[in-house]
Amino acid sequence: IVTAGKLGLSRKVAQQEQAVVETAAGAQNQRVLNAVRQLYYQALSDQFRLQVRTKLAQLAEEAARITDELANIGQADQPDQLAATVEAERIQLELVDARNRQDRTWRQLGAVVNNPSLRLTILVGDIEAVPRLDIDQSLEALYAQSPDLRAASQRVTQAETALTRQKREVIPDIVISGGVRH
């Protein structure tokens, strides 16, 4: 016969361990959600950057073309022509960089949501309309709802219960046996 409530304390320690694991799973879900939100805004900004770089590349190509035409009629000299060409090539490189950034962000997003075949799509949203956060209110909500803080509190409670259980371990159990003659 187990005495001193040791079985109940052991059950309570196991229940608290389960609560810690469930809270850790909730914290991981929150991390994934935050990562997806961050990557959404990153993808939105990459999309905007690519649009701007595409327009700049078109303008730079047109400027280089016009400079070439001006050079043909004697209105522009060779340094102007070379400067326009170099600028157009520089902007083309920035356009390639913008495409690479966008591809990288979408690959990261696919990895976070566990969909490696996630394809690039046009996002709806306004990069200028990023939500504004009140720091004090956000910190207060974080402290009140943080799964990590809740898990730490649960671990403390679990450790206290386990300590109580271990202190009661010194109380002996009652062993009863019987036989035919006894």
Side-chain angles (χ1 to χ4, degrees):
I1 299 173
V2 179
T3 60
K6 290 183 266 189
L7 288 178
L9 287 171
S10 294
R11 247 185 257 111
K12 197 172 182 181
V13 168
Q15 289 170 346
Q16 289 167 344
E17 176 64 27
Q18 181 182 359
V20 167
V21 169
E22 288 171 357
T23 302
Q28 187 61 29
N29 285 340
Q30 189 66 37
R31 285 186 199 99
V32 170
L33 181 61
N34 287 341
V36 168
R37 285 179 181 155
Q38 179 185 3
L39 286 170
Y40 165 77
Y41 285 110
Q42 180 65 42
L44 195 59
S45 71
D46 289 344
Q47 178 178 297
F48 182 71
R49 179 183 293 115
L50 186 61
Q51 290 170 353
V52 169
R53 296 289 184 214
T54 302
K55 289 178 184 176
L56 281 174
Q58 291 169 352
L59 290 173
E61 285 178 21
E62 187 169 334
R65 184 185 55 79
I66 290 171
T67 305
D68 286 342
E69 289 176 5
L70 289 173
N72 287 341
I73 61 171
Q75 295 295 318
D77 54 2
Q78 189 176 9
D80 292 336
Q81 192 176 12
L82 289 174
T85 303
V86 167
E87 184 66 17
E89 289 174 0
R90 184 185 65 79
I91 291 176
Q92 281 296 328
L93 289 175
E94 289 176 356
L95 179 62
V96 169
D97 180 58
R99 284 188 187 120
N100 290 340
R101 282 178 180 230
Q102 188 178 40
D103 289 342
R104 182 186 66 224
T105 300
W106 278 92
R107 281 193 308 273
Q108 288 174 339
L109 187 58
V112 167
V113 298
N114 196 23
N115 183 1
S117 62
L118 186 66
R119 297 288 171 229
L120 178 102
T121 58
I122 303 299
L123 297 176
V124 177
D126 183 11
I127 194 67
E128 301 294 327
V130 176
R132 301 284 181 217
L133 298 175
D134 178 25
I135 298 296
D136 295 332
Q137 186 181 23
S138 297
L139 280 175
E140 186 177 313
L142 180 66
Y143 290 141
Q145 300 169 0
S146 172
D148 290 331
L149 291 176
R150 191 169 40 247
S153 175
Q154 289 170 338
R155 282 190 209 101
V156 168
T157 304
Q158 178 189 13
E160 289 171 347
T161 305
L163 180 63
T164 302
R165 167 66 175 86
Q166 291 302 318
K167 285 181 179 178
R168 292 193 184 168
E169 189 66 34
V170 296
I171 300 172
D173 295 337
I174 299 172
V175 179
I176 299 174
S177 61
V180 177
R181 295 185 181 180
H182 298 25

